[in-house]
Structure formats: C-alpha cells, structure tokens
Amino acid sequence: MSQAVHRASWELPPQPSGTTDVSDAASPANAAGRADAADTRPVHAPRIAIIADDEDIGRLLLAESVLARGLTPQAFDNGTAALAAALAAAASGELAIVLLDVDMPGLDGYAVCRRLRAQAQLPAVPIVMVTGHEDSTAVTRAFEAGATDFISKPVNWSLLPRRLEYILRNAAAARALAERVTQVRTLVEAIPDTLWVVAPDGRILWSPNAAGPQVESLAPAEQLPQVLSAIRKTAQDGVQRRLQYRESGTQSYELRFSRREGGDVVVVRQDTSERTAAAERIERLAYFDPLTGLPNRQRCIETAEALFAEADRLRQSVAVVYLDLNSFKRINDAFGHSVGDAVLRTVAARLMHALEQCRRDGAVSSVARFGGDEFVILLRHADVRPLADEVAEACRRAFLNPIAYEGLEFYPAPSIGVAVYPDDGPDVATVLKNADTAMYQAKSGAARSVAIYAPAMSSRLRDWLDLEARLRHAVQQERLALQFQPKFRLRDQRLVGVEALLRWCDAEHGDIPPNRFVEIAEDSGLIIELGSWVIRAVCRQLAAWQARGLALPVAINVSGKQMLHGDVARVVEAEAAAAGIPASLIEIEITESLLIKDSATVREALERLRALGCGIALDDFGTGYSSLAYITRFPPDRLKIDQSFIRQVDQSPRDAAIANAILALAHSLDVIVTAEGVERPGQLEWLRARGCDEVQGFLLSRPLGARQLEQRLLTEAGASPAPASTHAPGS
Ligand code: C2E
Ligand code: MG
Ligand code: MG
C-alpha cells in the first residue's frame, strides 16, 4: 500500500484530478513548465544534496556517501536551515536529493519533508528519511509526509552509497519519464485528432482529451454499434481498421482502430471535413460541366454503366435520349460565346424541367451535358419505352418557345434520338452510338425531330460514310455529270436559259440525288472542289456551244460553304477566261440563308461576280427566313419561287398569297421571277395570269443531257413559239 503511494509521487503524470496530495501539489509547477516541455533537450541532472541531521557524525557520514555519488553535499544541523537551502537549490534547478533525519530539534524531518512537498517545484525530487525507529508508524508517517524512501538507524554505511545510487537512478528515470509524459501530452494536445484507449468490450480506459470519457464520446449514436464492433474485431485480430462517417451534413470524420500491446484498442478520430470538401471539389471539376452545372460526358458514361448494371439485376431497361441543337453553331458564330453560353444554360434548365414533368414511379433519370450542344438523358424504368417517348416529346416541346436573351430571340430546334439498353446494344458505348445515330436520323428527316433507334439506321449511317469516300473518288476522277434544265419565258414560252444540275451515278448505288450528296460534300468540305468542277464543266460546255453559234445563259448552283470559302468569283473568272467565254453567260444561284448572313465575304464575292457580268439568282425563295429587308439591300437579278409554294399555288389560298406577295415585291424591285417545279397546266395558268416572268418544271422540260438539250434547242428554233401542252411531262 505504502509502496503505491510512494510511486505515485513521480510515475503518474500530474493531473488535475490527481490521486495524492503529492501529485496535487506538483501539478501547477508542471503546468508552468509546459511551454518548453516538448523540448528534446536532454534532461538536466541536478547536483546538490541537502542533508539535515543534528548529530555531527551522522551528518558527516551522509555527506561522505553523497560525495561518493558525485553530488555536492550541503549539510545542516537543523530543519529550518535545511529547508531554506533545499528551496534555494530547487529554485536553481540543482536539487538532486534531500536526506532528512527524523528527530531534530525545531523543525523535525517530517515537517521539512511536508513543506518541501508543498512546494510546486519539487515533484520528483527524492526525499529520504533517516528514521531511528524501526516501527511501522515512523515509516508510515514518513511516507505520509511525502518521503520517497527511508533509511533506518543504525545506518549500514557501507551499503548507503548503493542505496543512494538506486534512489537517484529511480529519481532520474522518473524525471525523464515525467518529461516524456509532458512532451507526449503536449503533442497529443497539439494534434487535432481525438484519441481513446478502449478495452475490447468498449470500455474507455483513457483519453487525453477528456476526463472520465464515456463510450458515447466515440461517435454519434447511430455509428456506435459499428464502432464497437470494429473495436472488438481489432482487439481480436490486430488488423488496423478505418471507419468513416458524416455528421450534420458538412462534418466528416474518420476513425482509425489499432491494437496496442496488451489487447486494448487505440481509437483515433480525425476530422476529415476539409479533406472531404476538397475531394468533393475535385469531383465537381472532374465530373460536372461548370457552365450548366450538369454532369459531364465522363460522369454520364459512368452513370450509364451503373444504371445498365442495375437494370440487369432488376430486369429493367435503360433508355438513352440523345439531344442535339440544330442551329446552335450558328448562334455561337453569329453572336459570340457569351450568348451561346446563355442559350446553353437555358437549354439545360428547360431539359431538367421537361424531365421533371415526366416523373414516374420507380424511374431513375439524369440529364448530362455530353458535349458542346449535345445533351444526354438517361432513364431507367420497368417500362422505359413509353417513358422515353414521353420525355423525348417533352424535350421537343421545351423548345417551341424561343429562348430570349438580351433582346434577342433564338429557336434552337433540337434533334432527338432514342436507343434502349439492352435491346439496342450490349454496352454503354454501343447504346450511346445508336442513340446518336437515331439523333442524326431525326436531323435529316425534315419534319420529325425525334427518332427512335432502329437497326437499319446504322447501316444507313455506314452508307453515308461510305458515300463520302465514293464521292471523293468521283470528284477526283471526274465521274460526275451535268444536266441542264431549261427555263422558259412565260410571255412567249421561249427557252431563255438553263440551270446546270449536278448528277452522280455511282457504280453500286446508281443515281444519287444531289440533295443527298451535296449535303455530304458540304459536311466534308468536298463542296469547294466539287463546286469548282461544276463551274469548269459549265464553262467548257458554254465554249462548245459557242463554237456552234449558241449563246445560252447557264445558271450554276453555289452552296453556302462554297460561297464563303471557295473564292467563287476568282474560279468563275479563271475558268471563263480559260474556256474563252464571256462570264456574263453565267448566273449564280444562291440561297436566301446565305444572303441573310450579310457577311462581308458574301457581299464582296457577289459584287465581284456582278463586276464580271454574272447574274445573281436567289434560289428556293420563301423557304428560308424570307426577310425581305435583305433583298431590298442587295437586289438579285432573279428570284426563284420555291417548288413548295408552286405545288398548290392554284389550289391553296395560303400558297397563292405567298406567291402573290413574292411577285409583287420582286416586280417593285425590277427583279425577274422564276417559278420552280411547274408540273401541271393549272399552275402554269395561275402564274401566267399573275404576271410571273419565267417558269421551270417537268411540265415544260425535265433536266436534259447536253445532247438532248441541243436537240431541243433545234426543235425550239424550228417551231416557235410552241404551246405548253405539246411539252407534256415525261416527254
Ligand atoms: P434547285 O436549285 O432548286 O434545283 C431544282 C430542283 O428541282 C432540281 O432537282 C430539279 O430536277 C427539280 N425540279 C425541276 N422541275 C421540277 C418539277 O417540275 N417537279 C419536281 N418535283 N422537281 C423539279 P435536283 O436536280 O434533284 O437538285 C436538287 C437540288 O440540288 C437543287 O435544287 C440544288 O439546290 C442542288 N444542286 C443541284 N446541282 C447542284 C450543283 O451543281 N451545285 C450545288 N451547290 N447544288 C446543286
Ligand atoms: Mg437551283
Ligand atoms: Mg430551287
């Protein structure tokens, strides 16, 4: 028992809730010394030994023994002087040991010992009592006074130095340990982590962070069972474990469990909120589109993978709805990226709203921005096809109203393709590709803007790619041909010119309509080469006709890309000069949409063509923007009313009104009007009655080969002017 008290004076780290008077008394000193306690300096070895004995011989022998241990003795014959000297030595940090005779006049040994122990600076200094009494009462009193050890009289002087050495070594070890404990404590306090030592059954044995900690301090109640099980397992197998949990949304923690020697478990709790927040930020950057806040392509693909796997388990299907904006690039080019960004943000919001409206029980859905103007919606549901139809339709409707931005209005019409896993492909890549294919199908079909994937589409797309390669060869090897469709003046029904129409007969696919391959040529950039070839071929034909005394104006169709990038005026000038024909025999047909761009390039090209003597015709008039302002700004020589208005012109009041308006406008500007696609006499009569200048169409002539045309011209010359009815369709 007494042994325990004795050891307590130096072994236990001083605590506010300390167990003995001794350590209580010591704690403030320790707190004061804590600032530099974490030092790694070697522990200082004090040198002074205070001796108090009223008997001279005892005092001398004690001093001798102390000297023998390499210490400096300060010996006194009374307690009062010894106490003062001990305090002074302690204050200078040099007090190594105190040896006190119990029986002294004045202050006896017990009193000196008690007073010394009451001093803050003396926690671990050994105080040895020299007792004259062997009885246990004296020993007990000595320990109660705070003594470290006792020597009983008569003293065995030969053994005393050994005894002292033992006591001093213990004291040094205690000092070093106390120092280390202070360092560790300071470290523990400096580390933001919380630490517990826990018994395998979950009892908390110790924690530097709290006095008498309860098991509840380890983690929130809902985590506690998991935590206790981790402690149990770690105590059993010694394997380190980690456990993470969140608290109140933003706070996150990690608990680490490791087994100590002896089987207890150390639990360290780290606040990982900041680290988690950083990880989440990184995830946002890697997985989300900063413009719209939607998941990006990468995240979309990963989500699709997860949904497909889940669909396998649940025996459900996943629909991929692929959406692309038809005219977005034009908006970006014309108004700049900030406007484009604003439009995309609105698009994202509208898609989310559309999806919201199609909620269905058990459905999982997500919208992602897949690329520039491409969005992908993923839907998982037991009956996903009707849901996908509904979503696609809601998306289409979401664009019926224009997007307004800073006084501008945009109509970014979507093309939407749908493919379904597992029906339309075994993996994410295939299903996405097929949804994309369906989307392209939707884009090419004029009226519909939604297409559901069908296997035939893939072969069609392959055909398309195949066609591009074939067309390239055809252009390089000049395996293309021109036909010429006559235009007739209505007044006298004379053939007044022709339009050159490109023909491509592919060895495998047969005749491919120009509407189809011109689009391919535009997409691939091949149109520049193709267009130049047409100009050259027309010039050669004109030269051949000229050689036979024929001067027939020829209209050439020039596509938008060619007009912008093909240097058409230079090509016309060069080819006309090379063929030796006047450029005034050439008319250039452009579409309205090109003019509306009002770009300097187009304007300049048109002016140069005019300067060469070329006529300018506006083709397919009425189908585009019909912005009449552009026409008044740059009046063409000819307007060609599109077939779509002529088809019903004698039957549909609406078409008749449009054709009438175009005629009135053109005539007010002195522009010649040509009606396209005249197939029936009724149309011809209507146009003649309204004063239309010229007509072109199957009724009067289909496009003809050069030979056939020459034939026709000869007939015309012989039998002029021929009535319309003699040129029946198909003749
Ligand atoms: P477009 O310039 O409007 O040419 C008139 C189209 O209407 C021609 O079709 C012609 O064959 C067709 N057509 C003429 N009369 C009638 C009719 O009474 N009924 C019907 N249903 N159609 C009639 P084609 O030859 O298939 O050409 C289609 C389009 O391809 C042309 O439309 C033109 O935009 C483009 N194209 C043709 N050749 C070239 C070319 O050399 N270069 C460029 N860039 N485009 C060309
Ligand atoms: Mg044309
Ligand atoms: Mg046309």
Side-chain angles (χ1 to χ4, degrees), residues 499-501 555-558 589-591 619-620 640 676 696:
E499 176 179 6
L501 293 166
I556 298 175
N557 292 285
V558 172
E589 290 193 9
I590 57 168
T591 53
D619 203 357
D620 304 341
K640 300 183 78 174
E676 288 183 302
Q696 185 181 348

Side-chain angles (χ1 to χ4, degrees), residues 66-182:
V66 161
L67 264 175
R69 295 271 27 93
L71 298 178
T72 312
Q74 292 179 3
F76 304 91
D77 61 0
N78 64 83
T80 313
L83 177 62
L87 290 174
S92 64
E94 289 299 334
L95 182 58
I97 189 167
V98 180
L99 299 160
L100 298 171
D101 186 19
V102 170
D103 298 314
M104 285 183 291
L107 270 186
D108 67 5
Y110 300 124
V112 174
C113 182
R114 244 190 313 275
R115 298 226 188 148
L116 281 174
R117 283 300 183 214
Q119 291 301 314
Q121 299 94 321
L122 297 169
V125 171
I127 301 175
V128 181
M129 303 294 264
V130 184
T131 58
H133 327 275
E134 271 267 4
D135 63 304
S136 64
T137 337
V139 174
T140 305
R141 277 191 72 192
F143 283 131
E144 278 172 359
T148 311
D149 209 342
F150 67 94
I151 302 166
S152 47
K153 286 180 178 172
V155 176
N156 182 343
W157 297 109
S158 62
L159 273 183
L160 185 59
R162 293 255 163 267
R163 188 83 187 268
L164 286 181
E165 178 172 349
Y166 177 75
I167 292 169
L168 284 167
R169 210 195 292 149
N170 262 353
R175 260 199 316 276
L177 188 63
E179 195 85 3
R180 288 301 296 269
V181 166
T182 312

Side-chain angles (χ1 to χ4, degrees), residues 155-482:
V155 176
N156 182 343
W157 297 109
S158 62
L159 273 183
L160 185 59
R162 293 255 163 267
R163 188 83 187 268
L164 286 181
E165 178 172 349
Y166 177 75
I167 292 169
L168 284 167
R169 210 195 292 149
N170 262 353
R175 260 199 316 276
L177 188 63
E179 195 85 3
R180 288 301 296 269
V181 166
T182 312
Q183 284 179 3
V184 170
R185 174 178 297 277
T186 313
L187 268 178
V188 166
E189 280 169 359
I191 295 172
D193 298 3
T194 317
L195 194 143
W196 297 266
V197 177
V198 189
D201 63 4
R203 245 177 331 113
I204 294 182
L205 301 173
W206 182 69
S207 170
N209 312 86
Q214 299 297 303
V215 71
E216 287 74 28
S217 65
L218 284 171
E222 59 269 29
Q223 311 292 338
L224 213 50
Q226 253 187 301
V227 171
L228 290 174
S229 131
I231 290 169
R232 211 166 34 244
K233 283 190 209 144
T234 308
Q236 271 164 21
D237 59 16
V239 177
Q240 288 209 350
R241 289 188 163 70
R242 281 155 191 268
L243 201 141
Q244 285 165 346
Y245 65 90
R246 245 173 208 284
E247 207 177 323
S248 73
T250 53
Q251 291 298 109
S252 59
Y253 296 97
E254 182 180 274
L255 290 176
R256 270 170 293 160
F257 305 87
S258 42
R259 190 169 69 179
R260 270 207 321 184
E261 265 173 61
D264 297 336
V265 176
V266 176
V267 183
V268 177
R269 182 176 68 192
Q270 191 173 35
D271 184 337
T272 52
S273 309
E274 253 175 66
R275 202 204 308 158
T276 309
E280 281 169 0
R281 245 192 328 274
I282 289 166
E283 167 163 311
R284 278 210 89 70
L285 290 176
Y287 280 120
F288 289 85
D289 165 40
L291 178 66
T292 58
L294 293 179
N296 64 10
R297 181 192 201 95
Q298 188 57 35
R299 173 42 81 72
C300 177
I301 290 170
E302 287 176 19
T303 306
E305 269 158 8
L307 285 181
F308 284 17
E310 189 70 5
D312 286 343
R313 284 204 310 105
L314 301 171
R315 296 176 173 280
Q316 292 189 343
S317 296
V318 179
V320 174
V321 180
Y322 206 115
L323 184 144
D324 173 285
L325 301 176
N326 296 341
S327 49
F328 182 74
K329 269 189 198 71
R330 238 182 290 151
I331 295 174
N332 234 359
D333 290 349
F335 298 98
H337 288 275
S338 59
V339 175
D341 285 356
V343 170
L344 284 176
R345 256 183 253 123
T346 311
V347 168
R350 287 195 183 180
L351 289 179
M352 285 196 285
H353 182 68
L355 198 56
E356 191 90 326
Q357 289 178 320
C358 304
R359 270 169 189 252
R360 196 162 296 179
D361 280 346
V364 178
S365 63
S366 89
V367 196
R369 180 166 174 220
F370 208 64
D373 59 350
E374 290 170 7
F375 294 82
V376 166
I377 296 173
L378 299 169
L379 302 165
R380 200 196 69 222
H381 191 253
D383 194 10
V384 86
R385 282 199 184 269
L387 176 61
D389 285 350
E390 198 184 313
V391 167
E393 179 55 24
C395 290
R396 190 189 65 77
R397 276 200 315 272
F399 291 92
L400 289 181
N401 290 325
I403 293 177
Y405 179 74
E406 291 190 347
L408 300 163
E409 281 197 342
F410 302 100
Y411 294 83
S415 295
I416 301 167
V418 180
V420 173
Y421 172 84
D423 306 5
D424 299 332
D427 50 39
V428 170
T430 312
V431 177
L432 269 170
K433 193 188 78 204
N434 289 339
D436 185 37
T437 301
M439 185 272 287
Y440 263 97
Q441 192 65 29
K443 210 188 261 295
S444 54
R448 304 244 354 242
S449 51
V450 179
I452 309 298
Y453 177 76
M457 291 178 183
S458 284
S459 56
R460 238 172 286 166
L461 189 77
R462 267 198 302 280
D463 286 355
W464 181 278
L465 295 174
D466 178 53
L467 273 185
E468 187 184 322
R470 285 167 177 276
L471 179 60
R472 206 170 278 279
H473 283 118
V475 174
Q476 277 155 10
Q477 296 163 11
E478 303 207 9
R479 277 193 278 111
L480 297 157
L482 287 178

Side-chain angles (χ1 to χ4, degrees), residues 651-676:
Q651 284 151 16
S652 149
R654 181 184 157 269
D655 290 355
I658 291 170
N660 261 328
I662 294 174
L663 279 164
L665 166 84
H667 288 155
S668 75
L669 293 167
D670 264 341
V671 173
I672 297 170
V673 178
T674 305
E676 288 183 302

Side-chain angles (χ1 to χ4, degrees), residues 481-483 485 499-503 512-518 522 527 530-531 533-535 538 555-560 562 589 591 619-620 640 642-643 647 676-680 683 696-703:
L482 287 178
Q483 285 198 336
Q485 186 176 31
E499 176 179 6
L501 293 166
L502 194 51
R503 292 293 175 260
I512 299 165
N515 284 332
R516 179 129 188 245
F517 69 76
V518 164
E522 279 233 323
I527 193 69
L530 188 67
W533 180 85
V534 172
I535 294 171
V538 165
I556 298 175
N557 292 285
V558 172
S559 83
Q562 190 187 352
E589 290 193 9
T591 53
D619 203 357
D620 304 341
K640 300 183 78 174
D642 191 69
Q643 312 190 4
R647 200 166 296 135
E676 288 183 302
V678 178
E679 295 179 346
R680 293 177 288 104
Q683 297 164 306
Q696 185 181 348
F698 293 171
L699 177 65
L700 297 178
S701 176
R702 289 186 171 258

